[in-house]
Amino acid sequence: MHLFRAPNCTYYTRICYPKSLRDMGFPFDVKISLLTKTRAIAKKRNLRVILAVNQAMDSITTETVPGEFKSSLNKQIDAVRLSFSDVSAEGVPLRFATKGKIEVRGPNLAVKQCEQVPLKLALEMFISSKSKEGVRTLTVQQLHQRISHFIDAIKPDFTDEVTSACALGYRDLLLDEGRSHKTNKDYLAASSQLFKWCCLMQFTDANPFALITLKQHSLVEPNSARTRWQKRDLQALFSHEEFQKAENDLKWATLLMMFQGLRPSEACQLRTADVIKQEGLYCIKINNGGEKQRVKNASSLRILPIHQFLLKHGFIELVERANKAKRVQLFSYIPTNQNEDWSRQYCQYFGRMQNRMGMKPGSRPTPYGFRHTFIDELKQHEVDENIVAELVGHKNQKITFGRYGKKYKISLLKKYVDVISYDIDCTRLF
DNA sequence: TCTTTAATACCTTCCTCAGT
DNA sequence: ACTGAGGAAGGTATTAAAGA
C-alpha cells in the first residue's frame, strides 16, 4: 500500500492486495483519486480511506467472493468520499461553533445577526459579490434572472430550507417548461452557483444542486447548431434589392464577416486605425485599444490579412475616406444600452431586412452564420485546423508551446483567406 | 503514472419578441 | 426605431475518467 502524488493536487491511493489475498483470487487492486487544495488535506483523507479499506480487508474470509467484496468495498469507499463534503476546500468544518447564529460582514452590509438567512437576501448579497468579479453586467443580470426563476417557482424563504428534493423538483419543472437542453443546464448552474456561495458564507451546510443533473444529452449536433449560409443563400442575398439598397455600413460589415470570419461585434467596432499594413499587406487588427472597444477573450486578439474581394471592391478607399473625415470608428455603429452591445444595431437592421425579404425568424440563417460559413468553407477546402483557428481567433490547445507556438506569417495567412470565393454576381452591388 | 478524451462550469455574445 | 427581457448558442478553463 503506498501513496503517490500527481500534478494539480490529485492524489491517488493505490491499494495493492497482499499476496495471500491475490492467491485467494483477488487479482485486482483499488485505485482511489482525491482532488484537494493541499497536500495536508489529501493525506488526512487518504488515511480515512485506507482505514476503511483495512477494516474491509479484515473481514475477508475463505468464503468471501471476490466480486461481491469488490462491489461492497466500492460502496464503503464512496461513503467515505461522500463524507468529505462536510468539509470545505480549506479543511475548515462548515458547521458553526455557535449553531444558528450568523454573522455577515461586507463593505455595504451592516453586521447582521439572525437565526436564518432569507433566500432573497442571500441572492442580493451573492449578486453584489458577483458584480465585483469584473464579469459583464449582462452575465450578472442573467444569473439574477435565472436564480429568481427558481425562487419564484419553489418559493423557499430561507437558504437552509432548500433541499436536494426541492432542487430536483425544480429540475422537473424546467424540463416541463420546454427550454433548450443547454439553457436548462445554465438555469440549474445559476442556482447551483448561488448555493455554492452560500456554503462558503456558511449559510448552508451543502449545495442542494450539487448532484442534480439533466441526464439526457442535447440532440443538436454541436457543428449544426446554427445554420450556415449556403452559396445559394448568399447569391439570393446579394441579388435582393433590399440588400442592394441597404446602407453601406451594413453591407461592409456583412462582407467582413463573410470574407474574414469576424464576429458581428468585431466587425461593428472596427476603427479606422485598425486597418494597418504589415509585411506590405493590408490587414485588420482585432484589438481592444479603442474607447469601449473590447474583445471576447485573449485569443480573439489577432491580425488578419484582408481578402482580395474586399480590396477589389474598395475597402481601402472606404477606410481612407473615413480617415480623411477624421472618423475614429469605421462604421456608424455604437455600443447601445447598458450592456454596451456593439452588434445590436447591425443585427437588428439585418433581421428587419430579412423580414422584408420574407425570411422567417428561427428558420433563417443569422449574421453569426457568416462566421460558420467562413469556417466551414475553409474546412471544406481542407485548410489546416490550426490555420483556421488563428484566422478566426480560437484558442488552439493542440499547438505545443515552443514547437509550433509561433504565429503564421501574414503572407501565409493571406494565401488562405483568399481561398474564400463565393462565386457570386455582385455587379449591381457597388 | 502520464496522456488523452469527455464532461462540466462559467462567462460572453447573439437572436427574437413585445412594449413604447 | 429603440429598449428591456429572456432564450439560445459560442467559447475557454477546469475537472473527471479512461487509456496506454
Side-chain angles (χ1 to χ4, degrees), chain A residues 287-340:
Chain A
N287 69 111
N288 54 358
E291 170 125 15
K292 293 199 172 170
Q293 201 178 26
R294 62 175 197 271
V295 290
K296 188 173 182 188
N297 48 50
S299 43
S300 304
L301 296 165
R302 60 197 192 276
I303 297 176
L304 298 170
I306 297 175
H307 191 284
Q308 55 184 357
F309 181 95
L310 303 182
L311 297 176
K312 190 176 153 200
H313 291 100
F315 182 68
I316 298 304
E317 291 70 24
L318 174 88
V319 176
E320 279 168 358
R321 279 199 301 277
N323 259 327
K324 232 173 233 172
K326 301 236 183 298
R327 293 221 323 259
V328 177
Q329 294 297 131
L330 189 53
F331 303 126
S332 59
Y333 301 118
I334 48 167
T336 56
N337 67 35
Q338 83 264 28
N339 301 323
E340 302 184 326

